[in-house]
Amino acid sequence: MAISLNQSIRGRRARYRPLAEINVTPMVDVMLVLLIIFMVTAPLMTSGVSVDLPKTDAKPLNSDSEPLTVTIKADGSIFLQEQAVDVGELVAKLQASSQNNPDRRIFVRGDKDLAYGRIMEVMGTITRGGFTKVALLAEQTAAPPATAPATQPAGAPGASVKPAAGQRK
């Protein structure tokens, strides 16, 4: 209500006095429009190499520092962060990016339609380069089943990446 009608004790009509109230409806309208704009544009602002990750029910890993990401697209091309690299120069670029820190966490993202052998070839190359914390990434499913047994994903804290047969550690 924008005005109030006050009556005096004697029964005569008093003057109209405006109330000092803030109308928040326009502010709420503007905030809702801004919220919708940010909700639509936020997914468009993410950058990186687009791959179709497989789904998993495993819990996400906590990490202390920003991990290095190696992405393998469906056509077999390899990217370090967002830069295309050849498998032969992958270890050198990883060492340069991590300042020769073998404990730096490295995430390997592989397209779900990619051959498993190609992913293992890249992971083997990384572990032969001396890196010990290598993990595979997968997309989270909507809701994990309540009765699923607790398993530890590859690359989780406490899990180790073992070299393939015939490879040295």
Side-chain angles (χ1 to χ4, degrees):
M1 180 181 278
I3 57 173
S4 174
L5 177 63
N6 295 328
Q7 293 186 355
S8 67
I9 300 174
R10 296 184 190 130
R12 61 185 168 133
R13 296 180 94 194
R15 292 185 229 152
Y16 290 106
R17 285 198 273 168
L19 292 176
E21 293 180 358
I22 297 174
N23 189 1
V24 296
T25 304
M27 182 179 70
V28 170
D29 291 342
V30 169
M31 294 306 289
L32 287 174
V33 168
L34 288 174
L35 176 68
I36 291 170
I37 289 171
F38 285 121
M39 286 173 55
V40 170
T41 58
L44 301 175
M45 292 172 46
T46 59
S47 63
V49 180
S50 175
V51 294
D52 192 13
L53 292 175
K55 307 276 190 230
T56 184
D57 293 332
K59 294 181 181 178
L61 298 173
N62 294 332
S63 79
D64 299 336
S65 64
E66 182 70 25
L68 295 173
T69 304
V70 176
T71 305
I72 311 165
K73 291 183 72 171
D75 62 359
S77 57
I78 302 171
F79 291 84
L80 175 59
Q81 300 296 74
E82 297 175 10
Q83 206 173 43
V85 295
D86 186 38
V87 73
E89 59 189 27
L90 179 62
V91 172
K93 292 207 178 200
L94 280 171
Q95 289 172 341
S97 297
S98 67
Q99 288 96 22
N100 290 327
N101 180 8
D103 290 332
R104 181 79 184 262
R105 185 169 299 279
I106 299 172
F107 288 161
V108 178
R109 301 170 64 221
D111 193 280
K112 70 179 181 181
D113 296 328
L114 189 64
Y116 184 68
R118 179 67 172 161
I119 295 172
M120 291 311 298
E121 175 190 354
V122 172
M123 287 186 70
T125 302
I126 294 170
T127 55
R128 276 193 307 268
F131 293 97
T132 57
K133 294 186 178 181
V134 182
L136 286 173
L137 288 187
E139 224 175 275
Q140 290 291 106
T141 55
T147 60
T151 59
Q152 192 172 19
S160 62
V161 178
K162 296 184 180 178
Q167 293 180 354
R168 288 187 172 177
K169 194 168 185 180

